[in-house]
Amino acid sequence: MKVYFIMGSLNCKEAPELVLEKALKGGVTLFQYREKGEGCLSSADKKALALQLQKICRKNHVPFIVNDDLDLMISLNADGLHVGQEDGDIREIRRRIPDKILGVSVHNAEEAQTAVQIGADYLGVGPIYATSTKLDTRDVMGFSVVKELRAKGITAPIVGIGGIKEENAFDVVEAGADGVSVITAISHHEDPERAARGLLQQVEEAYKER
Ligand SMILES: Cc1ncsc1CCOP(=O)(O)O
Ligand SMILES: C=C1C=NC(C)=NC1=N
């Protein structure tokens, strides 16, 4: 969970395969393929890219997670799925993929408790900081939302998400997250390997403080 890279074709300035190769070299520990936004790939093109990125994750022994698209996840036999609060019935999804990683986006303790009770394997919490990558986010929460979830007894794995970069990753982990998930801090960086390495260093530094 330390450095959870998320991206799709629209988030990359160069070939997504190349960005992912570099990010993995820099120490990314988990990857999510999230093909979303105006003009994103669909059907055959989306599946073709997903297969390419899955192959690269396999080669690097990093789990490959699919965002939202349960059918794609099943057809690829991916390692898991990440869903939001609105992406269909989480109970139903858990029932259909009992042995896969299931990540759920949550925004407060109530949503977190429900997700854990249903059997979520990790929680994506945010947006922690302002982000222009996802336009329909809830209000920016700051890393205190992570502290609150821990204070309310949520012990499940948590990644913070939203506007996270090398400069602020430490605070998110120090607040109690197990890692950070990022899109543009890596995908828009001219050297994705260096970006990933810098994030990993900050996360591991914060681990020592806990
Ligand atoms: C998918 C998602 N969910 C909450 S914020 C966000 C976008 C995160 O993108 P970035 O890391 O570029 O801010
Ligand atoms: C919206 C999201 C929140 N958290 C994570 C980890 N992934 C997402 N796609």
Side-chain angles (χ1 to χ4, degrees):
M1 303 299 286
K2 288 181 177 174
V3 179
Y4 185 178
F5 181 36
I6 302 177
M7 69 85 164
S9 61
L10 297 185
N11 306 119
C12 297
K13 291 183 166 160
E14 55 184 345
E17 298 88 335
L18 208 52
V19 174
L20 180 55
E21 290 274 10
K22 292 174 181 175
L24 288 164
K25 201 151 175 277
V28 157
T29 54
L30 185 58
F31 175 72
Q32 179 186 133
Y33 176 50
R34 178 176 177 276
E35 190 61 30
K36 267 196 169 172
E38 188 67 27
C40 67
L41 301 177
S42 59
S43 57
D45 295 335
K46 178 178 177 183
K47 184 165 183 176
L49 178 56
L51 280 164
Q52 288 304 322
L53 301 179
Q54 180 182 37
K55 213 158 39 181
I56 294 166
C57 285
R58 279 230 172 96
K59 188 176 65 174
N60 288 275
H61 311 294
V62 166
F64 176 80
I65 308 290
V66 172
N67 182 261
D68 285 356
D69 192 336
L70 178 59
D71 296 333
L72 179 64
M73 188 242 106
I74 290 174
S75 74
L76 261 55
N77 190 30
D79 298 297
L81 184 76
H82 186 92
V83 291
Q85 289 294 316
E86 305 79 32
D87 296 315
D89 178 0
I90 301 168
R91 284 178 182 78
E92 168 65 15
I93 292 169
R94 180 74 286 177
R95 200 184 53 71
R96 283 188 62 185
I97 53 169
D99 306 326
K100 295 291 183 180
I101 297 169
L102 177 58
V104 178
S105 300
V106 298
H107 309 87
N108 54 52
E110 192 195 350
E111 290 179 354
Q113 264 137 9
T114 304
V116 170
Q117 187 227 337
I118 290 170
D121 296 295
Y122 73 79
L123 307 174
V125 181
I128 304 292
Y129 305 110
T131 175
S132 53
T133 305
K134 175 178 162 87
L135 306 178
D136 59 338
T137 62
R138 309 277 188 95
D139 294 343
V140 172
M141 307 171 186
F143 58 74
S144 56
V145 66
V146 177
K147 282 187 181 155
E148 280 152 34
L149 291 181
R150 292 303 188 207
K152 292 195 175 166
I154 302 286
T155 55
I158 287 176
V159 281
I161 187 165
I164 299 180
K165 47 191 188 294
E166 189 171 335
E167 293 76 13
N168 59 30
F170 182 96
D171 293 341
V172 178
V173 174
E174 194 183 38
D178 299 279
V180 294
S181 42
V182 305
I183 299 182
T184 50
I186 293 177
S187 73
H188 282 185
H189 200 287
E190 77 275 354
D191 184 349
E193 178 182 344
R194 246 163 43 80
R197 187 167 295 117
L199 282 158
L200 183 60
Q201 275 163 355
Q202 287 303 307
V203 170
E204 294 194 325
E205 189 93 3
Y207 266 47
K208 281 188 225 139
E209 308 277 317
R210 289 195 323 184

